[in-house]
Amino acid sequence: MEEAVEGCVALLRTATGADWRGPDWEKATAGRLEWSCRYTAEHIAGDLIAYAGQLAGRAQNAYFPFDIAFDDGTDNSGVLEVIWTTGALLAAAVRTTPREVRAFHPYPFRSASREGFAAMGTAEVLLHTHDIAEGLGLTYQPDPELAEFVLTRIFPHVRPGASPWLTLLWATGRGDLPGRAPVTDWRWHNNLVHDTDRLTLQGITPASATDLIGGGDGGFEWIEGGPYTGTREAATFLLKAYQSGVHRPEFGVFTLVRREDGRAVGGLGFHGVPDEAGRVEVGYDLAAGARGQGYATEALRALSAWALARDDVRTVFATIERDNLASQAVVTRAGFRKVSEDEVEGEFAYELSRPE
């Protein structure tokens, strides 16, 4: 995020001072927005300080009731100084906020982690610098890695393209991509988190999935023995869906994180979106050190209840190997019933349906 702010300020500083002969910031419209370039620059600073406040104050239900105000007579150079400062404040809040903390943001799931706020702040800077640059007649080309950082964290529903920057512009209604319809309405998506008594089920982003596939921890602190093989395999399917443009994050993969110490103990998730009959498949695993403590049952109950409360889900099912007695016990305790056996594959099928 600091790199994004640095690039923003460096570019826009060229359009300040007595030797600037380009458009007036107050009169020039910022790109496709209805705002002036001056107002858009002030908006960047306002968003950065608001996000810093949400994280630092641990806001839970709404935005904190404060706003930023510029002194009378603040020139454009002064606005850039405020962008620089508010960017530093958000970066400091991100660095010092524990990974497990979530603070209020209105959409889509009413909260975001420090990584989510970093991605949102970076998006605000990149996109609105682009808008201002268009209005002032400047050329702006940020580092593609910054755009990819944003896309893989808060645009998991957007199929990646050859150019992360052009894809981000398209996804936010600021540009066109061959073969894709213009975007007229958009929102980013922070990851979904489900709460249980002892766990939080934290949605895995494409960025986390990429790290897990590469042998990393996905950004989580795991107990010994984690992440288990199934979680890494599930991350592979998630990333394939993301790359194909069919990933729906609410039907993705979740890391099971203990409330007591913030450590990840396993993974749980869907194999895809519900089919036409409203059936959706679920799978799970735990690190060896977390087994036998009811974590999988607790998580499965919560995720199944969430799914069955939706209009597009009627049945949650799971297939389990005949010899995996522990996993069979998990689904049974979660309320599933055995509905069939596959003699060839050596698997049992279990279902939990919405009450009629």
Side-chain angles (χ1 to χ4, degrees):
M1 196 196 68
E2 291 165 295
E3 183 182 347
V5 171
E6 182 178 348
C8 164
V9 172
L11 175 70
L12 298 185
R13 189 177 286 131
T14 65
T16 63
D19 58 344
W20 170 246
R21 296 293 181 266
D24 186 322
W25 286 38
E26 291 277 11
K27 297 178 180 178
T29 301
R32 301 186 184 186
L33 304 180
E34 296 180 354
W35 301 340
S36 71
C37 290
R38 166 72 180 219
Y39 179 85
T40 304
E42 293 179 356
H43 174 81
I44 294 174
D47 278 342
L48 294 176
I49 193 63
Y51 292 164
Q54 294 299 95
L55 271 183
R58 312 294 196 255
Q60 294 302 303
N61 300 310
Y63 271 108
F64 286 124
F66 75 93
D67 202 352
I68 194 169
F70 289 80
D71 291 342
D72 290 343
T74 300
D75 61 11
N76 295 334
S77 293
V79 174
L80 297 183
E81 290 176 357
V82 178
I83 290 175
W84 181 272
T85 302
T86 53
L89 289 172
L90 177 54
V94 168
R95 282 195 300 268
T96 56
T97 297
R99 199 197 66 80
E100 290 305 301
V101 168
R102 296 187 72 84
F104 174 82
H105 187 275
Y107 59 78
F109 305 121
R110 300 186 66 78
S111 72
S113 66
R114 65 185 186 189
E115 186 174 57
F117 277 104
M120 290 187 290
T122 302
E124 295 284 0
V125 173
L126 295 180
L127 296 170
H128 289 318
T129 302
H130 163 80
D131 298 333
I132 298 169
E134 279 199 336
L136 299 180
L138 303 174
T139 299
Y140 179 56
Q141 188 68 40
D143 188 330
E145 291 186 2
L146 291 173
E148 186 173 15
F149 174 83
V150 173
L151 289 169
T152 56
R153 285 159 178 84
I154 58 175
F155 286 88
H157 53 295
V158 171
R159 176 166 57 91
S163 165
W165 175 232
L166 294 181
T167 302
L168 181 59
L169 291 178
W170 169 82
T172 57
R174 289 172 167 83
D176 300 316
L177 281 182
R180 302 198 197 187
V183 172
T184 57
D185 186 31
W186 63 273
R187 282 187 174 180
W188 54 54
H189 287 68
N190 283 290
N191 66 326
L192 175 60
V193 174
H194 299 287
D195 294 321
T196 72
D197 289 341
R198 297 180 296 164
L199 303 167
T200 56
L201 282 56
Q202 303 184 19
I204 293 177
T205 65
S208 292
T210 300
D211 188 58
L212 285 167
I213 293 167
D217 57 17
F220 299 92
E221 182 181 353
W222 291 81
I223 65 170
E224 185 176 355
Y228 202 62
T229 305
T231 299
R232 297 195 189 279
E233 292 177 348
T236 300
F237 295 129
L238 185 157
L239 193 62
K240 287 181 179 179
Y242 167 67
Q243 293 170 340
S244 300
V246 298
H247 176 51
R248 284 175 60 187
E250 62 268 38
F251 286 104
V253 184
F254 299 83
T255 298
L256 313 184
V257 180
R258 288 193 305 217
R259 289 179 177 275
E260 65 181 35
D261 58 5
R263 303 186 73 187
V265 298
L268 168 69
F270 299 101
H271 290 199
V273 300
D275 64 18
E276 293 181 356
R279 298 179 78 244
V280 63
E281 185 173 2
V282 69
Y284 50 86
D285 71 1
L286 290 175
R291 296 171 188 169
Q293 301 174 56
Y295 290 133
T297 300
E298 182 176 329
L300 181 58
R301 283 174 177 158
L303 194 61
S304 298
W306 171 86
L308 291 172
R310 296 173 56 95
D311 292 337
D312 56 351
V313 177
R314 297 188 61 82
T315 304
V316 180
F317 76 98
T319 56
I320 301 173
E321 294 177 355
R322 181 194 306 274
D323 297 333
N324 193 343
L325 300 181
S327 187
Q328 293 171 35
V330 167
V331 292
T332 300
R333 287 194 297 267
F336 287 64
R337 63 184 181 88
K338 187 168 71 173
V339 294
S340 66
E341 297 184 25
D342 187 326
E343 295 290 345
V344 177
E345 297 294 333
E347 293 180 335
F348 296 155
Y350 289 80
E351 287 187 352
L352 180 65
S353 298
R354 183 194 306 170
E356 295 296 336

